[in-house]
Amino acid sequence: MLALSLTTVGSAGAISVAPGDAPDEVRVGETVTTTVTIEDPFVDMPDQWTLQGSTKLENVSWTVTVLQQGDQVNQTVYGEQSFEQELDASSGGDTIEVEITGDAPPVDNYTYHPRETFTLYDFDTVQGSSTSDLNASEVHHYTNASRDARLAIEDAEAAINETGGNSDAEAQRDRAVSAYENSNFGNAESLAGDAQSQAEQAQQSAQQTQTLLMAAGALLVVLLVGGGIYYWRANQDEPTKLQ
């Protein structure tokens, strides 16, 4: 799946931004690489302006390549979490490619809803003292333990939804979420498993009750029919007073 890109074009005029392929989620410490392409950087824009970029990736490297009709005009590499590059129409350039590579950062604060995300990249245009959003992307990050706990909670929620809701299971699910958000992933996974079991047991109990009620109803019908037949036969066999 591709990460959703949040794009806002203010005074950036006719600039077109094509976000690169990026994962919807990534494990902490995993290396991520994506390329963002900026087309027509000087259409409805000043001849000189500044491109700003920032990220929460660690061990990051930016490679900014300016192209004119496919030919490289210049290329600059940056090694910090943010950069600024002056752009000048007189130097040429109808396309700017920005490749970013880095490692997914640790999670500062675990939240079940919404999912934990970090800024993969955030680009702005700067003209004098005016800064405008250009394009940004957020990506979910996780550890193996947090992912296992989240999946267990999701399974519990699915089981609860299938039963139409169960207060005991829901309370246990809430405890699992609380443990998750306190980074107690082993406990969260265990509590979520309990919640799922409670929901499934409640569903089985409801199904058994329904089966018993159906059986009792069927038995009642049989008894009523049998009793009716017996009564009818008894009345048929009994001689009337006229006889």
Side-chain angles (χ1 to χ4, degrees):
M1 297 178 66
L2 302 183
L4 295 177
S5 294
L6 308 178
T7 307
T8 303
V9 178
S11 60
I15 292 179
S16 172
V17 180
D21 291 348
D24 178 62
E25 57 183 18
V26 61
R27 187 177 65 252
V28 170
E30 187 174 349
T31 300
V32 181
T33 299
T34 189
T35 300
V36 177
T37 303
I38 302 170
E39 301 282 0
D40 303 320
F42 299 107
V43 175
D44 295 334
M45 289 287 287
D47 288 344
Q48 295 179 333
W49 59 275
T50 301
L51 174 65
Q52 286 184 342
S54 62
T55 182
K56 290 297 184 181
L57 288 172
E58 299 183 338
N59 304 314
V60 66
S61 173
W62 307 82
T63 302
V64 182
T65 305
V66 179
L67 303 167
Q68 180 66 41
Q69 296 183 347
D71 295 328
Q72 180 175 310
V73 175
N74 64 63
Q75 185 177 79
T76 309
V77 177
Y78 302 93
E80 302 295 331
Q81 286 187 311
S82 62
F83 77 90
E84 289 189 358
Q85 178 154 329
E86 302 291 335
L87 300 173
D88 192 330
S90 64
S91 300
D94 55 17
T95 302
I96 302 170
E97 292 181 350
V98 183
E99 181 186 79
I100 177 173
T101 299
D103 302 331
V107 180
D108 293 329
N109 182 40
Y110 283 95
T111 56
Y112 185 68
H113 284 305
R115 299 192 309 172
E116 313 86 346
T117 62
F118 71 94
T119 300
L120 178 61
Y121 57 77
D122 186 359
F123 292 111
D124 297 320
T125 64
V126 181
Q127 303 171 47
S129 60
S130 176
T131 300
S132 299
D133 295 332
L134 184 58
N135 192 268
S137 177
E138 297 286 323
V139 175
H140 170 55
H141 53 158
Y142 62 89
T143 64
N144 289 337
S146 72
R147 181 178 177 83
D148 289 345
R150 177 178 288 276
L151 291 175
I153 295 172
E154 289 176 352
D155 288 343
E157 289 179 331
I160 291 170
N161 290 336
E162 287 179 5
T163 65
N166 176 273
S167 59
D168 291 338
E170 289 171 359
Q172 199 74 337
R173 183 274 319 276
D174 291 343
R175 296 186 189 99
V177 171
S178 178
Y180 176 92
E181 293 184 339
N182 282 283
S183 304
N184 193 345
F185 303 121
N187 191 34
E189 189 173 356
S190 176
L191 290 168
D194 292 342
Q196 182 177 355
S197 296
Q198 288 176 343
E200 291 171 346
Q201 289 171 4
Q203 185 178 33
Q204 291 173 358
S205 177
Q207 290 173 343
Q208 290 172 354
T209 299
Q210 185 178 17
T211 300
L212 290 174
L213 289 174
M214 291 176 63
L219 178 60
L220 179 60
V221 170
V222 170
L223 291 174
L224 289 173
V225 172
I229 293 173
Y230 175 80
Y231 178 78
W232 178 79
R233 286 181 175 176
N235 286 337
Q236 291 295 315
D237 294 339
E238 182 180 346
T240 64
K241 292 181 178 180
L242 294 177
Q243 293 175 329

